[in-house]
Amino acid sequence: MLEFLLRVFGKNSSSSKNVAKERLRLVLVHDRADVSPQLLEELKEDLIKVISNYMEIDESALEVNLDTSDNMVALVANIPVIRMKRTAKRSEKIG
Amino acid sequence: MGEVIVITSGKGGVGKTTATANIGTALAALGHKVVMVDTDIGLRNLDVVLGLENRIVYDIVDVTHGNCRLKQALIKDKRFEGLHLLPAAQTKDKTAVNPEQMRELCSELAKQFDYVIIDCPAGIEQGFKNAIAGAEKAIVVTTPEVSAVRDADRIIGLLESAELRDPKLIVNRIRPLMVKKGDMMSMDDIIDILAVNVLGIVPEDEMIVVTTNKGEPAVLDNYSRAGQAYRNMARRITGEEIPLMDLEADTGFMNKLKKLIGFK
Ligand SMILES: Nc1ncnc2c1ncn2[C@@H]1O[C@H](COP(=O)(O)OP(=O)(O)OP(=O)(O)O)[C@@H](O)[C@H]1O
Ligand SMILES: [Mg+2]
């Protein structure tokens, strides 16, 4: 009954429009994540810059990928650390 | 120099050809020199939507292959002084023209017309690449459906990588009553997702079917809501600021009553 009333007033979150929007949101995360290896490359470079302030890393073995599963997309990075720096060079922080 | 605008969508059947015919005709009605170019080679449509199908002698492939001069292939629409159509070829396929030829053709047309409106075929292959090659602005048509919006998003990405930035969106076939009930995405929902600017919104309108049957674009019918929407878009293209139509007003009780008793 409540659901019927909500329907009548068009405010329930499971209205088909909201289902459509949520499905679109997800499908577009996947679609857009697909497009550009160049973007990932840029992200990689920025990551190296930031992380190098704190630790020495093996840049050649660094891996950054977008992992897509059914209902989410994750940024997965594998960054081999060679050694930690004793003091983080915070003053050199980018930005 | 005229403006070259491509009308595209990704998904088929969402209203590109209807939009081209109506915007082109409305621009001509405002007194501009307009040429509409049908690049849907093999599936020629724009000619019948405009009611010009019986007057075709040469087509776009004849022009790009040098079988005739550009002027010979242009069909003059008798309804408006400045309105012209360059028809697609019906018996060839999309590889009959290449992007370089399209660029040349468009720059030639831009010298002669204020607006060159290009009707793009569905898809993202050769036909799409041809259609956008000579364009400097893009209009993306979608309907309020998941598949159409998804394809529009893909097209917007492809347009950007082809340096066609800031495309304008047409949301076609909106049914205000369904939007009100929460059963159809609204323009705002779609804008929110695609993050582009709107050129116009078009309601679902039976008059589109009626006018297309007759080969007369809906903008020629003063009572068609879709026609009104396209007339507004034409004026926005020329730089005027026209507020978006209030489709909600169509769903009110009084309005339905008026419709029922025959007022428009
Ligand atoms: N606002 C509208 N209301 C009702 N019908 C519409 C509306 N817009 C378009 N249509 C109808 O939808 C159909 C498809 O339109 P149209 O041919 O313009 O699409 P298209 O995108 O050019 O298709 P294609 O991808 O095949 O080239 C036509 O039958 C047309 O009459
Ligand atoms: Mg078409």
Side-chain angles (χ1 to χ4, degrees):
Chain A
M1 181 60 197
L2 184 62
E3 196 189 313
F4 171 74
L5 277 177
L6 285 170
R7 248 226 168 94
V8 169
F9 294 109
K11 292 284 184 275
N12 64 336
S13 64
S14 67
S15 71
S16 71
K17 146 190 150 156
N18 287 324
V19 177
K21 278 174 74 177
E22 180 56 16
R23 289 177 61 218
L24 254 172
R25 192 187 62 77
L26 282 171
V27 80
L28 289 187
V29 175
H30 286 243
D31 285 2
R32 287 175 186 170
D34 232 27
V35 231
S36 125
Q38 188 199 340
L39 195 98
L40 273 185
E41 210 41 55
E42 282 169 23
L43 172 66
K44 225 185 211 175
E45 279 165 28
D46 279 351
L47 272 179
I48 291 173
K49 263 191 243 160
V50 175
I51 295 169
S52 301
N53 288 332
Y54 301 87
M55 54 197 83
E56 213 171 286
I57 57 175
D58 182 359
E59 291 180 19
S60 59
L62 179 137
E63 269 178 44
V64 178
N65 283 305
L66 278 173
D67 229 40
T68 55
S69 67
D70 278 348
N71 56 7
M72 60 171 283
V73 176
L75 179 69
V76 181
N78 190 347
I79 308 172
V81 179
I82 298 174
R83 73 173 66 85
M84 301 298 290
K85 294 191 174 167
R86 196 159 289 141
T87 47
K89 288 193 233 160
R90 298 201 61 102
S91 55
E92 280 178 27
K93 254 176 55 175
I94 50 171
Chain B
M1 269 309 237
E3 243 173 56
V4 185
I5 306 172
V6 62
I7 299 188
T8 179
S9 72
K11 186 171 156 67
V14 295
K16 295 175 292 297
T17 301
T18 310
T20 306
N22 280 286
I23 290 174
T25 305
L27 281 168
L30 291 172
H32 298 285
K33 274 199 89 179
V34 179
V35 63
M36 295 165 287
V37 183
D38 189 350
T39 62
D40 203 343
I41 298 174
L43 289 169
R44 163 158 101 196
N45 268 173
L46 189 52
D47 54 340
V48 286
V49 174
L50 288 162
L52 298 174
E53 67 274 16
N54 292 327
R55 301 191 28 218
I56 297 178
V57 183
Y58 296 109
D59 57 51
I60 189 169
V61 174
D62 291 319
V63 174
T64 52
H65 289 208
N67 301 340
C68 70
R69 280 174 296 120
L70 176 57
K71 203 171 159 40
Q72 292 175 289
L74 293 175
I75 297 163
K76 232 174 103 42
D77 191 307
K78 290 184 179 123
R79 289 163 289 206
F80 293 100
E81 178 58 32
L83 191 58
H84 296 74
L85 168 71
L86 180 56
Q90 181 68 328
T91 54
K92 318 246 172 31
D93 70 70
K94 283 170 178 121
T95 55
V97 175
N98 66 44
E100 188 45 46
Q101 292 167 328
M102 278 304 295
R103 267 190 288 275
E104 259 173 55
L105 176 66
C106 288
S107 76
E108 189 51 44
L109 288 170
K111 283 181 204 156
Q112 303 176 28
F113 294 90
D114 302 327
Y115 293 98
V116 181
I117 315 281
I118 300 173
D119 182 14
C120 179
I124 54 175
E125 273 76 44
Q126 175 87 26
F128 168 73
K129 288 177 186 147
N130 283 341
I132 68 166
E136 48 201 356
K137 290 191 180 167
I139 294 172
V140 175
V141 185
T142 188
T143 57
E145 284 169 291
V146 176
S147 54
V149 176
R150 179 197 198 172
D151 289 0
D153 185 76
R154 180 107 167 83
I155 285 293
I156 291 166
L158 291 171
L159 288 171
E160 259 169 27
S161 34
E163 306 283 317
L164 271 166
R165 304 201 187 278
D166 193 22
K168 300 282 187 290
L169 191 73
I170 297 178
V171 183
N172 188 22
R173 309 193 77 153
I174 295 178
R175 295 164 71 169
L177 267 176
M178 289 191 75
V179 174
K180 212 172 181 182
K181 277 197 283 185
D183 274 329
M184 181 177 270
M185 286 186 285
S186 67
M187 176 202 77
D188 288 325
D189 295 326
I190 296 169
I191 294 301
D192 200 36
I193 291 163
L194 295 178
V196 287
N197 292 312
V198 188
L199 178 66
I201 49 178
V202 189
E204 173 80 25
D205 185 355
E206 288 177 7
M207 286 314 287
I208 290 281
V209 181
V210 175
T211 55
T212 306
N213 281 342
K214 296 195 259 180
E216 291 167 0
V219 289
L220 299 176
D221 180 342
N222 282 326
Y223 294 110
S224 160
R225 295 283 283 158
Q228 179 63 47
Y230 281 115
R231 284 195 296 273
N232 289 350
M233 284 185 243
R235 293 171 64 182
R236 285 184 202 115
I237 288 173
T238 66
E240 272 185 78
E241 294 223 0
I242 313 281
L244 288 172
M245 259 164 78
D246 180 15
L247 300 185
E248 279 264 326
D250 295 353
T251 69
F253 173 72
M254 278 313 285
N255 203 285
K256 266 186 277 176
L257 194 67
K258 277 189 207 159
K259 260 195 185 147
L260 211 64
I261 55 180
F263 277 102
K264 274 277 185 173

